[in-house]
Amino acid sequence: MEDVQSLSPSVSIGIDRVGVRGLKRPLLVRDRVHGMQQTVASVDLGVDLPSAFKGTHMSRFVETLEAWEGEISYQAVRHLLEKVRHCLSARRAWAHFTFSYFVNKPAPASGRPGTVHYDCRLTGELDEQGQHFLLGLDVPVMTVCPCSKAISSEGAHSQRAMVHMEICLHGFSWLEEFIEIAEGAGSSAIFSLLKREDEKFVTEQAFANPVFVEDVVRNVAQRLAAHKHVGSFSVEVESMESIHHHNAFARIEGQGAYAATGASGR
Amino acid sequence: MEDVQSLSPSVSIGIDRVGVRGLKRPLLVRDRVHGMQQTVASVDLGVDLPSAFKGTHMSRFVETLEAWEGEISYQAVRHLLEKVRHCLSARRAWAHFTFSYFVNKPAPASGRPGTVHYDCRLTGELDEQGQHFLLGLDVPVMTVCPCSKAISSEGAHSQRAMVHMEICLHGFSWLEEFIEIAEGAGSSAIFSLLKREDEKFVTEQAFANPVFVEDVVRNVAQRLAAHKHVGSFSVEVESMESIHHHNAFARIEGQGAYAATGASGR
Amino acid sequence: MEDVQSLSPSVSIGIDRVGVRGLKRPLLVRDRVHGMQQTVASVDLGVDLPSAFKGTHMSRFVETLEAWEGEISYQAVRHLLEKVRHCLSARRAWAHFTFSYFVNKPAPASGRPGTVHYDCRLTGELDEQGQHFLLGLDVPVMTVCPCSKAISSEGAHSQRAMVHMEICLHGFSWLEEFIEIAEGAGSSAIFSLLKREDEKFVTEQAFANPVFVEDVVRNVAQRLAAHKHVGSFSVEVESMESIHHHNAFARIEGQGAYAATGASGR
Amino acid sequence: MEDVQSLSPSVSIGIDRVGVRGLKRPLLVRDRVHGMQQTVASVDLGVDLPSAFKGTHMSRFVETLEAWEGEISYQAVRHLLEKVRHCLSARRAWAHFTFSYFVNKPAPASGRPGTVHYDCRLTGELDEQGQHFLLGLDVPVMTVCPCSKAISSEGAHSQRAMVHMEICLHGFSWLEEFIEIAEGAGSSAIFSLLKREDEKFVTEQAFANPVFVEDVVRNVAQRLAAHKHVGSFSVEVESMESIHHHNAFARIEGQGAYAATGASGR
């Protein structure tokens, strides 16, 4: 049968990235406590396409993914990217994973266990020069408003805020390292299971430590900047203000300690 | 050209509803203060289809909508439903609108104006027996947790909660009537514009009036039950707990004063 | 510490359902081929709350879920519901799971394997009278338009359509049974991996079998109505029309063979 | 009352952008046919915050927006940005609008009118050096697969595909110019209202002009590159493949004719 994809295109412009989006499957992720954990990921795969070819071969992305061992780790993703590059005869291969990561977090006073999920993104890109790794992580925290607390005779409004991090990683790091950085930056971490003594603990801790979104984003940026495996990063905090229908946000783009060492590229 | 739609279907089962979904357009809505306001709605239209016909005529829904005067009111929607019934030769016509409604709300202390939006849904259905009107409305409120307040030495967690109402309407009522019912049921209403004196006011008012989602849903249900134009209704409150990654919710299904009068049907 | 939840509410109305929403965790699901498969579910849990109590005890839902074995099956969900009823001292317990289910589907000509995901919902409710089970399933299919085919000198527009089923289940059935019912109702099933010979097969099969959304919804309704474990059901088909920015939909509510046998209730 | 925002922060890092997100309101947009049209926008506003200040003054964003004339045009947005910069004492001001734009498009054979909506984004940024304008636009088109057509004895799969453009604009251009560029790049444009003769026309035109997502993205890129007001741009095409549950995508980043003239910056 005719290989239409290999014809010359009518417009000969190179394509930066072409591929498939939204393939879902069960995958393993590295877990600091248990070594591995099971999750489900949505997977996108792509390659560059030179100006001389009309189309890529979409089915080869799916074949490569089917044959892959299915583990979200530096080595396994690199292996997938190498296979994609090879099977698609491409210069650059790219993979993007969206998944939930689960941490069993003891309640702060009673110590009772409760599973919390964190939305994660992992992007890998491989070309002749090497491999890029970009980690995305969304961590909910609680914020108590310092202004509301200072001016009110009682109380202060609080809300759930989301810390969104995008990090160029240059060396293995546990997801938990970045979860802890974000959770340490709000008025309090949040939990799945809080008995009465825990709710008292969290409320009092949070009110003793009021922060604006500006404080949270700076706290996270300062700690990411000191992390030895972090290159360039961005962090954005968005709080679902309990007194408004709209949200407040703050964003910092910065460089981690890896970038500061002048380490070359990847 | 062949009219495939009018052929007999291979499976002769009547279809409860068939039509189009997701047509967007600018529309007017009745506004208590200004008479009318401009918004944008997503529109779905449908009819029943007897077992003898293979297909409906989808283009006629779009034609009817194009020719319609475009105002979300009892009279105008009834007119649309009559046209749809007629053009599609149907027994039953159905229309569903999703739109934002805007209220200019003065801040509680400074009185400065700020526009708040509310997500609304209006569903109309018309058959030989008459017309049904179902109003859906999402109203954000602030809740301060009574348990957290009672057990903590300082503060209490608060959050944005959403009041979702679905109401069978039997008589004209302003959207503002139901917005006010919901806003009066939380620890405080929420606002777009709050200067420092307003933030103090809202914080103190909310802390003087702590409520669970259970309290909010009961407060709303009690007031809807007393409304003379309300037939059956459901209300669900969902709060984006600031201490958790998950939400809390509570739901009541009830009957308004219209239903209680034993008024016959529609 | 004070048990605020056990106080009397200021408005003494019973609450139909109160609980938690959006707890995510890894769970097992029964799989026709492998016995079990791993997935991730979003879990909601609720109970009724009598008019005499101000609040439910939200942390007990999380505790019960943490202690649960974590398997989406009739027996395991019943066990969870019994535990929730007991721990919350409730008359009625309710659980809702949203998850992806994975099927390895061979391509129709080459036979090469490709994983397809299906979005599923399982709702269980338990009270003194017994347990309800409601299964929700979204199955994508391909539709080729019979009208476009009949009137055009060449071709016909086709598109992805989604079959949404909500089924009251009265007896164990594999998810695959309902996936197959939906996939047999369109112009063609869809696949993850299609080599050239498969794409030819799917295209030709689909064009030999053009269907409207009305045909698809009737085909599914007819087969669900004949299924011995199906009580009441609804099926809605929505097609992402390739010639429009809006969608077409059709919906049937019906009764399966279980309901027809006059089986009493549950 | 205490001005907590003006205190020194504990971490003295400058914040790239801080502000409010998700304020909705009715706005006017420039329209090539009618001069102006009414729509609803979601608005985000932000400024930079120097390292010496703990917080920005969130209420001033809302005040500035309330006082603004509410029209999405170069002049009016510039005016808003100047006001935001001034009121917040900022070096940089930023505004982002998300809205639907409506075009009345005659059917291709019958000429009957039908309203189509397009999702748009407009971002403006103003600092000492001047103003940036970034336009985002999503345009649905129909694609017929050239491979499926070449290898099948009859038919070819088709689907709705979305053309996403992000364009640095350097000079006034109508939204319609970019809508037309995208609609000319697929197998056929799509319409809201198609009578039988129109459906025949669209089907035949689309089948005479089969394209991959790779073809669409190249066609758009070529035309954007030739537009005299376009600086840097990206275009991504994503097609909801009717034979798969996943999508195909292709992306090109390029430079328009404005950039090529060596025009300095903005």
Side-chain angles (χ1 to χ4, degrees):
Chain A
M1 279 180 279
E2 196 183 338
D3 183 359
V4 182
Q5 282 83 354
S6 300
L7 299 177
S8 291
S10 55
V11 175
S12 57
I13 303 178
I15 293 181
D16 293 296
R17 190 177 293 153
V18 54
V20 293
R21 179 166 288 160
L23 287 153
K24 272 195 173 179
R25 54 207 60 208
L27 284 176
L28 292 166
V29 191
R30 292 196 66 176
D31 174 322
R32 194 171 62 181
V33 175
H34 306 97
M36 276 299 169
Q37 71 170 240
Q38 191 73 47
T39 189
V40 163
S42 178
V43 187
D44 307 341
L45 294 172
V47 292
D48 64 307
L49 184 73
S51 59
F53 297 98
K54 181 173 172 70
T56 191
H57 290 86
M58 296 284 184
S59 67
R60 296 185 192 169
F61 292 109
V62 184
E63 279 179 302
T64 310
L65 186 63
E66 285 293 331
W68 184 54
E69 65 265 46
E71 179 193 306
I72 305 179
S73 67
Y74 187 89
Q75 280 310 321
V77 171
R78 179 173 191 118
H79 194 213
L80 174 66
L81 291 170
E82 282 165 354
K83 286 300 246 340
V84 167
R85 257 184 94 192
H86 178 75
C87 294
L88 277 293
S89 311
R91 201 174 62 75
R92 256 197 332 266
W94 172 90
H96 180 70
F97 301 86
T98 306
F99 58 98
S100 287
Y101 183 75
F102 301 92
V103 175
N104 196 310
K105 232 165 114 179
S110 70
R112 299 214 198 174
T115 305
V116 182
H117 72 274
Y118 300 92
D119 294 327
C120 303
R121 296 166 294 286
L122 188 74
T123 311
E125 191 160 21
L126 180 74
D127 62 17
E128 307 88 355
Q129 270 116 33
Q131 185 177 355
H132 278 293
F133 243 74
L134 184 68
L135 175 69
L137 200 50
D138 300 339
V139 179
V141 299
M142 181 184 179
T143 59
V144 171
C145 177
C147 172
S148 169
K149 190 183 172 196
I151 62 180
S152 305
S153 62
E154 185 197 22
H157 68 85
S158 64
Q159 48 271 318
R160 197 191 296 161
M162 200 58 81
V163 178
H164 303 282
M165 294 173 282
E166 302 290 335
I167 301 163
C168 279
L169 261 190
H170 301 267
F172 178 76
S173 310
W174 296 109
L175 289 172
E176 283 86 346
E177 297 177 39
F178 301 110
I179 292 171
E180 286 162 8
I181 283 176
E183 292 190 338
S187 295
S188 169
I190 71 175
F191 299 85
S192 282
L193 180 57
L194 293 173
K195 300 304 291 180
R196 209 163 289 150
E197 66 211 270
D198 302 308
E199 188 170 350
K200 175 179 163 62
F201 182 96
V202 166
T203 305
E204 292 174 0
Q205 186 188 53
F207 272 75
N209 185 30
V211 288
F212 288 130
V213 285
E214 291 96 324
D215 295 309
V216 184
V217 79
R218 280 165 163 154
N219 289 341
V220 174
Q222 186 182 43
R223 292 166 209 195
L224 289 179
H227 194 293
K228 69 177 179 195
H229 291 152
V230 172
S232 60
F233 68 84
S234 72
V235 52
E236 186 161 313
V237 180
E238 183 162 352
S239 76
M240 292 172 271
E241 299 288 288
S242 57
I243 58 173
H244 297 305
H245 200 176
H246 63 266
N247 295 346
F249 77 96
R251 176 184 180 85
I252 290 177
E253 299 182 7
Q255 298 288 337
Y258 181 86
T261 61
S264 63
R266 300 163 188 207
Chain B
M1 280 179 278
E2 196 181 339
D3 182 359
V4 182
Q5 282 82 354
S6 300
L7 300 176
S8 290
S10 56
V11 176
S12 58
I13 303 178
I15 294 180
D16 293 295
R17 190 176 295 154
V18 54
V20 292
R21 179 165 289 160
L23 287 153
K24 271 195 175 181
R25 54 207 61 207
L27 284 176
L28 291 166
V29 191
R30 291 196 66 176
D31 174 321
R32 195 171 60 181
V33 176
H34 306 96
M36 277 297 169
Q37 69 171 241
Q38 191 73 48
T39 189
V40 163
S42 178
V43 187
D44 307 341
L45 294 172
V47 293
D48 64 307
L49 184 72
S51 59
F53 297 97
K54 181 174 171 72
T56 190
H57 291 86
M58 298 284 185
S59 67
R60 295 184 194 170
F61 292 109
V62 184
E63 279 178 303
T64 311
L65 185 62
E66 286 293 332
W68 184 54
E69 63 266 44
E71 178 191 308
I72 305 179
S73 67
Y74 187 89
Q75 280 310 322
V77 171
R78 180 173 191 120
H79 193 213
L80 174 66
L81 291 170
E82 282 166 353
K83 288 299 247 343
V84 167
R85 257 184 94 192
H86 178 75
C87 293
L88 278 293
S89 311
R91 202 174 61 76
R92 256 196 331 267
W94 172 90
H96 179 70
F97 301 86
T98 307
F99 57 98
S100 287
Y101 184 74
F102 301 92
V103 175
N104 196 310
K105 232 165 112 180
S110 70
R112 299 214 198 173
T115 305
V116 182
H117 74 274
Y118 300 92
D119 294 328
C120 302
R121 296 166 292 288
L122 189 75
T123 311
E125 190 160 22
L126 180 75
D127 62 15
E128 307 88 354
Q129 270 117 32
Q131 183 177 357
H132 278 293
F133 245 74
L134 185 68
L135 175 68
L137 200 50
D138 301 339
V139 179
V141 299
M142 181 183 179
T143 60
V144 171
C145 177
C147 171
S148 169
K149 190 183 173 195
I151 62 181
S152 305
S153 62
E154 184 196 22
H157 68 85
S158 64
Q159 48 270 318
R160 197 190 296 162
M162 200 59 80
V163 179
H164 304 281
M165 294 173 283
E166 302 290 334
I167 301 163
C168 280
L169 262 190
H170 301 267
F172 178 76
S173 310
W174 296 108
L175 289 171
E176 283 86 346
E177 297 176 40
F178 301 109
I179 291 171
E180 286 161 8
I181 283 176
E183 293 191 337
S187 295
S188 169
I190 70 174
F191 299 84
S192 281
L193 180 57
L194 292 174
K195 299 304 291 180
R196 210 164 287 151
E197 65 210 273
D198 302 308
E199 188 169 351
K200 175 178 164 62
F201 182 96
V202 166
T203 305
E204 292 173 359
Q205 187 187 54
F207 272 75
N209 185 31
V211 288
F212 289 131
V213 285
E214 293 95 325
D215 295 310
V216 184
V217 79
R218 280 167 163 152
N219 289 341
V220 174
Q222 187 182 43
R223 291 166 209 194
L224 289 179
H227 193 292
K228 70 178 177 194
H229 291 151
V230 172
S232 61
F233 67 84
S234 72
V235 52
E236 186 161 313
V237 180
E238 183 162 352
S239 76
M240 291 172 272
E241 298 288 288
S242 57
I243 58 172
H244 297 306
H245 200 175
H246 62 266
N247 295 346
F249 77 95
R251 177 184 180 85
I252 290 176
E253 300 182 6
Q255 298 288 337
Y258 181 85
T261 62
S264 63
R266 302 164 186 207
Chain C
M1 279 180 280
E2 196 182 339
D3 183 359
V4 182
Q5 282 82 354
S6 301
L7 300 176
S8 290
S10 55
V11 176
S12 57
I13 303 179
I15 294 180
D16 293 295
R17 190 176 295 153
V18 54
V20 293
R21 179 165 288 160
L23 287 154
K24 273 196 174 179
R25 54 207 60 208
L27 284 175
L28 292 167
V29 191
R30 291 197 65 176
D31 174 321
R32 194 170 63 181
V33 175
H34 306 96
M36 276 297 169
Q37 70 171 241
Q38 190 74 48
T39 189
V40 163
S42 177
V43 187
D44 307 341
L45 294 172
V47 292
D48 65 307
L49 184 72
S51 59
F53 296 98
K54 181 174 171 69
T56 191
H57 290 87
M58 298 285 184
S59 67
R60 296 185 193 170
F61 292 109
V62 184
E63 278 179 302
T64 310
L65 185 63
E66 286 292 331
W68 184 54
E69 63 266 44
E71 179 192 306
I72 304 178
S73 67
Y74 186 88
Q75 280 310 321
V77 170
R78 178 171 192 120
H79 192 214
L80 174 67
L81 290 170
E82 282 166 352
K83 287 299 245 344
V84 167
R85 257 185 93 194
H86 178 75
C87 294
L88 278 294
S89 311
R91 201 173 62 77
R92 256 197 330 268
W94 173 91
H96 180 70
F97 300 86
T98 306
F99 57 97
S100 287
Y101 183 75
F102 301 93
V103 175
N104 196 311
K105 231 165 114 181
S110 70
R112 300 215 197 173
T115 305
V116 181
H117 74 273
Y118 301 92
D119 294 327
C120 302
R121 296 166 294 287
L122 188 73
T123 311
E125 191 160 22
L126 180 74
D127 62 16
E128 306 88 355
Q129 270 118 32
Q131 183 177 357
H132 279 291
F133 244 75
L134 185 67
L135 175 68
L137 199 51
D138 300 339
V139 179
V141 299
M142 182 184 178
T143 60
V144 171
C145 177
C147 171
S148 168
K149 189 181 174 196
I151 62 180
S152 305
S153 62
E154 183 196 23
H157 68 86
S158 63
Q159 49 271 317
R160 198 191 296 162
M162 200 59 80
V163 179
H164 304 281
M165 295 173 282
E166 302 290 334
I167 301 163
C168 279
L169 262 190
H170 300 266
F172 178 76
S173 310
W174 296 109
L175 289 171
E176 283 86 346
E177 297 176 39
F178 300 109
I179 291 171
E180 287 161 8
I181 283 176
E183 293 190 337
S187 295
S188 169
I190 70 174
F191 298 85
S192 282
L193 180 57
L194 293 174
K195 299 304 292 179
R196 209 164 287 151
E197 66 211 89
D198 302 308
E199 188 170 349
K200 175 179 164 62
F201 182 97
V202 166
T203 304
E204 292 174 357
Q205 188 188 53
F207 272 76
N209 185 30
V211 288
F212 288 130
V213 285
E214 291 94 326
D215 296 310
V216 184
V217 79
R218 280 166 162 151
N219 290 341
V220 174
Q222 187 183 44
R223 292 166 210 194
L224 289 179
H227 193 293
K228 69 178 177 194
H229 292 153
V230 172
S232 60
F233 69 83
S234 71
V235 51
E236 185 160 316
V237 180
E238 182 162 354
S239 76
M240 291 171 273
E241 299 289 288
S242 57
I243 58 172
H244 297 306
H245 200 175
H246 62 267
N247 295 345
F249 78 95
R251 176 183 181 86
I252 289 176
E253 299 182 6
Q255 298 289 336
Y258 181 86
T261 62
S264 63
R266 299 162 188 211
Chain D
M1 280 180 279
E2 196 182 338
D3 182 359
V4 182
Q5 282 82 355
S6 300
L7 299 177
S8 290
S10 56
V11 175
S12 56
I13 303 178
I15 294 181
D16 292 296
R17 190 177 294 154
V18 54
V20 293
R21 179 166 289 160
L23 287 153
K24 271 195 176 180
R25 53 207 62 207
L27 285 176
L28 292 166
V29 191
R30 292 195 65 175
D31 174 322
R32 194 170 63 180
V33 175
H34 305 96
M36 277 297 169
Q37 70 171 242
Q38 190 73 48
T39 190
V40 163
S42 178
V43 187
D44 307 341
L45 295 172
V47 292
D48 64 308
L49 185 72
S51 58
F53 296 98
K54 181 173 171 71
T56 190
H57 290 86
M58 297 284 185
S59 66
R60 296 185 193 169
F61 293 109
V62 184
E63 279 179 301
T64 311
L65 186 63
E66 286 294 330
W68 184 54
E69 64 266 45
E71 180 193 305
I72 305 179
S73 67
Y74 187 88
Q75 280 310 322
V77 171
R78 179 173 192 121
H79 192 214
L80 174 66
L81 290 169
E82 281 165 354
K83 287 299 245 343
V84 167
R85 257 185 94 192
H86 177 74
C87 295
L88 277 294
S89 310
R91 200 173 62 77
R92 256 197 331 267
W94 172 90
H96 180 70
F97 301 86
T98 307
F99 57 98
S100 288
Y101 183 75
F102 301 93
V103 175
N104 197 310
K105 231 166 113 180
S110 71
R112 299 214 198 174
T115 306
V116 182
H117 73 274
Y118 300 91
D119 295 326
C120 303
R121 297 167 293 287
L122 188 74
T123 311
E125 191 160 21
L126 180 74
D127 61 17
E128 306 90 354
Q129 270 116 34
Q131 184 177 356
H132 278 293
F133 244 75
L134 185 68
L135 175 68
L137 199 50
D138 300 339
V139 179
V141 299
M142 181 185 179
T143 61
V144 171
C145 177
C147 172
S148 170
K149 190 183 174 195
I151 63 180
S152 304
S153 62
E154 184 197 22
H157 68 86
S158 64
Q159 49 270 317
R160 198 191 296 162
M162 200 58 80
V163 179
H164 304 282
M165 294 173 283
E166 302 290 334
I167 301 163
C168 279
L169 262 191
H170 301 266
F172 178 76
S173 310
W174 295 108
L175 289 171
E176 284 86 345
E177 297 176 38
F178 300 109
I179 292 171
E180 286 162 7
I181 283 176
E183 293 191 336
S187 295
S188 169
I190 71 174
F191 299 85
S192 282
L193 180 57
L194 293 174
K195 299 305 290 180
R196 208 164 289 152
E197 65 210 271
D198 302 307
E199 187 170 350
K200 175 178 164 61
F201 183 96
V202 166
T203 305
E204 292 174 358
Q205 186 188 53
F207 272 75
N209 185 30
V211 288
F212 289 129
V213 285
E214 292 95 326
D215 295 310
V216 184
V217 79
R218 280 165 162 154
N219 290 340
V220 174
Q222 187 182 43
R223 292 166 210 194
L224 289 179
H227 194 293
K228 69 177 178 195
H229 292 152
V230 172
S232 60
F233 68 84
S234 71
V235 51
E236 185 160 314
V237 180
E238 182 161 353
S239 76
M240 291 171 273
E241 299 288 289
S242 57
I243 58 173
H244 297 305
H245 200 175
H246 62 266
N247 295 346
F249 77 96
R251 176 183 180 86
I252 290 177
E253 299 181 7
Q255 298 288 337
Y258 181 86
T261 60
S264 62
R266 299 160 188 212

